[in-house]
Amino acid sequence: MRKVRGSLAVMALLLGSAASARPNIVVLVADDWGFSDVGAFGGEMATPNIDALAGAGVRFSNFHVAGSCAPTRAMLQTGAPSHRAGLGNMPETIPPEHRGRPGYETEMSDRVTTIAERLRPAGYRTYFTGKWHLGHVPANLPTGRGYDRALALSQSGADNFANKPNLLLYDKADWTEDGKPAVLPKEFYSSRLIVDRMIEYLDGGDRGRPFLASVNFLANHIPVQAADSDIAAYRGRYAGGWTRLRHERRAGAIARGVMPAGTAMVRMGSTPDWDGLKPEQRAQRARAMEAYAAMATAMDREIGRLVAHLKASGQYEDTIFVFLSDNGGEAIDPMAQAFTRLNAQYLYDTRPQEQGRPGSLTAIGAGFASAVSSPLRGYKFSASEGGLRVPMIVAWPGNPAVAKGIVAGGFAHVVDVVPTLLAATGVPLVGALAGHDLMPMLAGAAGVRGAAESLGYELSGNAVLFRGDLKLVRNLPPYGNGNWALYDIVRDPGETRDLAGAMPAAFAAMQAEYARWAKREGVLAMPGEYSAPAQIRANAIDDLLWPRLQPVLMWAAGGLGLVIGGVVAWRRRRAQSPGGGTKKPPA
């Protein structure tokens, strides 16, 4: 670990001096990127512009978020735990029994304050583009929560080439601009649109004031889509399958210094045998991963365009850049379950050769999701490291106290981002936050938490307590067996050795601490046989399928009623007509 340069007093002086300059802030949020998706974290995908930010700043190799998008985004915006922020669960995954309960409003709560609501009174311009997913009523859209301008999608995802929803979940794509229905270009690509609009907002504002730019991509959420030219660049790259890629990514992460040498990893039970697939199945899966890589590269190119614009306008050196993913890789595959597969085949072009193209519905599934989160266990929705540990980069090019090109291995969490940015801007922190200022780690310190300090987390029954190097974790089916386990995530980030038996005192103490945290945060127990994937399907059927079918059923019932009524009337007329009745038997 790199040592802090100079004395703490000199560091504080430099950081304080930089903070007084009121730096700009750019927060770049990727959607569903696994830990090793970024080249600087060991991946093979072309991400030169994100890698350049890593070279200009600090990579956090032990940084954690929530297991799905909206809870992470709530914590990123507020610095508060997800239940306190109203996102104890998401609209798509919440069971009916929890809807509207405190902490489970599924929209941003008025109990918390966003970073935009903190920075705007201090003179900052505040702009938001892309995925919001924290509310859809005007008071809970970005412009209702402190942003001056905003192009926002209130849902988990949408089509990337047209103003269309993910038809398996929504009736329409809920894009708004400045709180009103947005008018989108006839032709666009989501990553380009999101950066185009941010540049427009930046150029249209008062250049004499610093800005907060929150840039939130749809890449690489389902539907995975990219231009043909970007997909073609990866043709054949993934023909070797997910197991080979998982091992390649592990070696890359170790070589890049974001994983310790000798990191062990498990083979997840949800990972199919690549060699056991039919040739057409392997071709289909490889094509999906090609589209995934292409979508990532397209997003990286747009980040490069934004950075280039800030350099050309003289604002790059005075800007803090934060890059992170909202959770690990997405394993859910609509084509893997009968109902959603039939629905997808009806609504989309699902032919293998069309994957990733406009009009398609593409997902990488559990096999390649295990590879993009390599060498970690698990993926999105789970509380395993593959769901919670993601790439995070912080760069501040013009601040000499911020290190360049180092890896920070100490534990960090998404609730730390708001306190860090407030410290950097010199804006006073009013009210308690759950996180810590990470500025010392940006200068080379090993960490910012004490060995006995704990941090709890829960989503959909999957739960964690972090304390020092240890992680207490429980995953409900289908991600685990519902039992608690204990791991040393510094020496064993792949979660391969359960230490519960070897450390019974710590195991029991951390379970008791988690119970206290859960009670304090108002965590609710999950009902019955709950599982997040099953609840997504159930909610989609209740909220989407039945409303779609009701008019059809009403027409069908009306038509059937007319037919039945017609038959009854005909039989009555026939019975009443001369000679139409039943003949009497002869006397």
Side-chain angles (χ1 to χ4, degrees), residues 7-54:
S7 69
L8 291 177
V10 172
M11 184 185 77
L13 178 63
L14 287 169
L15 291 173
S17 173
S20 67
R22 294 164 56 86
N24 304 310
I25 299 169
V26 172
V27 180
L28 304 160
V29 184
D31 201 332
D32 294 355
W33 281 38
F35 177 80
S36 54
D37 269 339
V38 177
F41 282 75
E44 78 294 332
M45 303 188 307
T47 58
N49 296 291
I50 301 172
D51 295 345
L53 290 177

Side-chain angles (χ1 to χ4, degrees), residues 25 27 63 75-77 79 115 322 324 392 394 413-423 435-438:
I25 299 169
V27 180
F63 177 78
M75 292 187 282
L76 178 64
Q77 288 289 331
I115 186 170
V322 179
L324 71 153
M392 207 268 274
V394 180
H413 195 270
V414 66
V415 293
D416 300 331
V417 174
V418 167
T420 303
L421 295 177
L422 292 177
H436 289 260
D437 173 12
L438 298 175

Side-chain angles (χ1 to χ4, degrees), residues 1-4 60 407-412 440-449:
M1 180 63 66
R2 181 173 176 157
K3 296 184 181 297
V4 179
F60 285 76
V407 174
F411 179 84
M441 294 178 71
L442 294 177
V448 293
R449 284 176 170 82

Side-chain angles (χ1 to χ4, degrees), residues 166-189:
N166 177 341
L167 291 166
L168 300 187
L169 296 178
Y170 312 108
D171 266 329
K172 67 181 184 70
D174 189 22
W175 284 100
T176 59
E177 186 160 30
D178 300 340
K180 300 176 182 178
V183 178
L184 301 185
K186 184 176 181 180
E187 295 182 357
F188 65 87
Y189 183 65

Side-chain angles (χ1 to χ4, degrees), residues 253-267:
I254 292 171
R256 291 286 189 169
V258 295
M259 281 285 134
T263 294
M265 64 182 186
V266 301
R267 179 185 177 90

Side-chain angles (χ1 to χ4, degrees), residues 394-480:
V394 180
W396 190 350
N399 188 342
V402 174
K404 306 288 190 291
I406 71 165
V407 174
F411 179 84
H413 195 270
V414 66
V415 293
D416 300 331
V417 174
V418 167
T420 303
L421 295 177
L422 292 177
T425 59
V427 173
L429 174 58
V430 179
L433 293 180
H436 289 260
D437 173 12
L438 298 175
M439 295 302 289
M441 294 178 71
L442 294 177
V448 293
R449 284 176 170 82
E453 183 177 348
S454 63
L455 188 149
Y457 161 80
E458 186 273 345
L459 177 63
S460 295
N462 303 327
V464 168
L465 186 84
F466 296 103
R467 190 176 72 184
D469 295 348
L470 296 178
K471 174 188 176 184
L472 177 76
V473 58
R474 178 191 68 202
N475 280 303
L476 301 184
Y479 306 107

Side-chain angles (χ1 to χ4, degrees), residues 89-394:
N89 213 323
M90 304 189 300
E92 295 81 6
T93 53
I94 192 169
E97 299 91 325
H98 290 179
R99 289 183 178 176
R101 301 280 295 275
Y104 294 82
E105 294 90 344
T106 70
E107 295 205 6
M108 185 97 74
S109 167
D110 59 9
R111 296 184 295 271
V112 294
T113 304
T114 70
I115 186 170
E117 289 171 321
R118 294 177 185 275
L119 291 180
R120 186 161 69 175
Y124 270 74
R125 298 178 283 149
T126 54
Y127 306 127
F128 183 98
T129 58
K131 177 173 167 178
W132 176 245
H133 205 198
L134 297 174
H136 61 277
V137 299
N140 261 338
L141 289 171
T143 45
R145 300 306 303 255
Y147 286 94
D148 298 325
R149 302 291 314 275
L151 175 71
L153 176 70
S154 72
Q155 299 154 331
S156 66
D159 194 274
N160 295 280
F161 287 105
N163 190 6
K164 297 191 305 185
N166 177 341
L167 291 166
L168 300 187
L169 296 178
Y170 312 108
D171 266 329
K172 67 181 184 70
D174 189 22
W175 284 100
T176 59
E177 186 160 30
D178 300 340
K180 300 176 182 178
V183 178
L184 301 185
K186 184 176 181 180
E187 295 182 357
F188 65 87
Y189 183 65
S190 64
S191 295
R192 185 167 58 249
L193 172 68
I194 287 165
V195 169
D196 276 346
R197 203 57 57 93
M198 182 55 73
I199 290 175
E200 176 186 322
Y201 293 162
L202 293 174
D203 287 352
D206 179 3
R207 288 284 299 276
R209 296 163 54 203
F211 63 78
L212 164 67
S214 184
V215 186
N216 303 264
F217 295 96
L218 277 59
N220 283 351
H221 196 281
I222 298 172
V224 174
Q225 296 170 314
D228 288 346
S229 57
D230 284 324
I231 297 174
Y234 290 96
R235 186 72 68 232
R237 174 63 182 83
Y238 301 105
W242 39 65
T243 300
R244 178 184 297 180
L245 183 63
R246 184 160 165 79
H247 284 275
E248 291 174 354
R249 291 279 190 99
R250 172 188 175 275
I254 292 171
R256 291 286 189 169
V258 295
M259 281 285 134
T263 294
M265 64 182 186
V266 301
R267 179 185 177 90
M268 285 174 271
S270 55
T271 302
D273 177 13
W274 179 261
D275 293 331
L277 300 180
K278 297 177 181 178
E280 59 270 24
Q281 291 175 315
R282 290 197 294 268
Q284 185 265 335
R285 293 300 187 184
R287 167 75 185 214
M289 188 62 201
E290 291 167 6
Y292 180 94
M295 193 178 195
T297 293
M299 191 194 91
D300 177 86
R301 182 166 55 243
E302 296 306 315
I303 289 175
R305 191 160 64 88
L306 177 60
V307 171
H309 182 80
L310 295 177
K311 287 181 177 179
S313 58
Q315 300 174 95
Y316 171 76
E317 293 289 327
D318 298 326
T319 299
I320 302 172
F321 296 90
V322 179
F323 169 86
L324 71 153
S325 175
D326 62 352
N327 46 248
E330 170 65 272
I332 291 178
D333 183 359
M335 304 305 291
Q337 199 270 343
F339 173 76
T340 51
R341 180 171 63 252
L342 291 172
N343 205 12
Q345 290 170 341
Y346 174 71
L347 295 167
Y348 289 95
D349 189 338
T350 59
R351 292 176 296 168
Q353 66 271 25
E354 292 299 308
Q355 287 182 108
R357 305 191 73 235
S360 68
L361 182 73
T362 300
I364 61 173
F368 275 119
S370 74
V372 303
S373 296
S374 177
L376 307 175
R377 175 199 290 265
Y379 24 64
K380 182 179 178 180
F381 290 119
S382 79
S384 299
E385 288 295 275
L388 306 185
R389 190 188 296 215
V390 297
M392 207 268 274
I393 297 165
V394 180

